[in-house]
Amino acid sequence: MGQNGAMEPVAEDWQRALAIVAHPDDLEYGCSTAIAKWTAQGRSVVEVLATRGEAGIDSMDPEEVARIRTEEQIEAARRVGVDTVEFLDLPDGVLEYGLPLRRALAAVIRRHRPEVVLSVNFRETFPGGAFNMADHRALGLAAVDAVRDAANRWVFRDLGLEPWQGVRFVLLGGSPQPTHYVDVTGHLDAGVASLRAHRVYFDNLGADFDPEAFLTGIVEPLGRTVGVTHAMPFELIES
């Protein structure tokens, strides 16, 4: 934040971003709206998901859920201009913070060599106070730590990958402690479309969820606060 406590815009003088999240749909609750802006401007964004979300639908077999949610994530990414979506195939629901996860994410960062990393909120709560889930807390914290791991040539030497010290900052979506914003004016429709791509998942939750109302409820109030039409909040951590 600025000296007066106001949220600052995210710097956009970069070309390559890497989004690392736990599950299909994690990005679409806000991050993908910003991604739509960046890809429209010619920036490169790659998405990496730790799991395929196979534990996410109680009434369906996990293998079938994995197939469906993989397809839905690839389509969601396509709708915001992302062509490369990778899956680490870690087990959904039981991600653990620790060296194995940090090692896997450091390898991803060294391979893709981004300037910006996006990830999920690792704080204990969501905005509004609801308790955050374990996978998010483990993955988000590991992603932040993996940025430093990837930069240190003497950490995870067995990966056989050159260190990457070029990450400038990490952006965390859905944080209860936002510090920065992205002006997403003109890109809300793409963000809504990406969230709607998770159709089978939402149909099986048994809840009446409106993607447009959800995202509009985030970007319009913050936009008024910072002086633009639509703005998406992020917690920014310098690397």
Side-chain angles (χ1 to χ4, degrees):
M1 291 191 178
Q3 293 181 348
N4 62 357
M7 293 175 65
E8 297 181 343
V10 172
E12 295 186 331
D13 55 342
W14 50 267
Q15 288 300 315
R16 299 186 312 281
L18 174 65
I20 306 173
V21 294
H23 317 104
D25 87 349
D26 281 352
L27 286 170
E28 282 66 54
Y29 293 102
C31 290
S32 68
T33 307
I35 290 172
K37 174 187 181 178
W38 295 327
T39 59
Q41 293 174 329
R43 294 182 175 87
S44 170
V45 181
V46 171
E47 296 183 7
V48 175
L49 289 89
T51 81
R52 294 180 186 264
E54 68 274 8
I57 301 178
D58 181 71
S59 61
M60 296 177 63
D61 180 86
E63 290 188 5
E64 178 67 3
V65 175
R67 181 189 66 79
I68 291 170
R69 299 198 72 191
T70 296
E71 293 174 355
E72 290 186 338
Q73 184 59 45
I74 292 171
E75 175 60 18
R78 185 194 67 79
R79 293 181 183 186
V80 292
V82 174
D83 298 322
T84 302
V85 181
E86 299 177 0
F87 296 86
L88 301 182
D89 288 321
L90 299 175
D92 182 21
V94 291
L95 293 180
E96 293 183 283
Y97 177 86
L99 292 178
L101 185 56
R102 284 170 49 191
R103 181 181 184 278
L105 301 188
V108 168
I109 294 167
R110 286 178 181 175
R111 282 195 295 109
H112 289 288
R113 306 174 81 78
E115 297 164 83
V116 175
V117 169
L118 288 84
S119 195
V120 291
N121 167 33
F122 64 78
R123 305 294 179 183
E124 288 189 350
T125 63
F126 291 111
F131 196 66
N132 196 1
M133 69 177 299
D135 276 3
H136 294 164
R137 289 181 282 122
L139 188 286
L141 185 58
V144 174
D145 286 339
V147 169
R148 180 170 291 179
D149 295 333
N152 189 334
R153 72 173 58 253
W154 308 123
V155 174
F156 302 133
R157 286 176 281 173
D158 60 315
L159 289 173
L161 297 166
E162 284 297 307
W164 175 245
Q165 301 172 351
V167 177
R168 293 170 51 187
F169 51 83
V170 180
L171 295 174
L172 303 172
S175 171
Q177 301 177 29
T179 58
H180 290 67
Y181 71 90
V182 175
D183 180 354
V184 294
T185 303
H187 302 280
L188 178 59
D189 287 349
V192 171
S194 73
L195 186 52
R196 283 182 171 152
H198 299 280
R199 180 182 58 82
V200 174
Y201 177 64
F202 291 135
D203 286 349
N204 281 273
L205 288 184
D208 185 15
F209 177 69
D210 184 339
E212 183 173 7
F214 176 81
L215 290 174
T216 301
I218 297 172
V219 299
E220 281 191 351
L222 180 57
R224 288 192 294 270
T225 298
V226 301
V228 301
T229 302
H230 291 146
M232 189 62 69
F234 291 91
E235 179 178 355
L236 185 150
I237 297 178
E238 301 281 354
S239 61

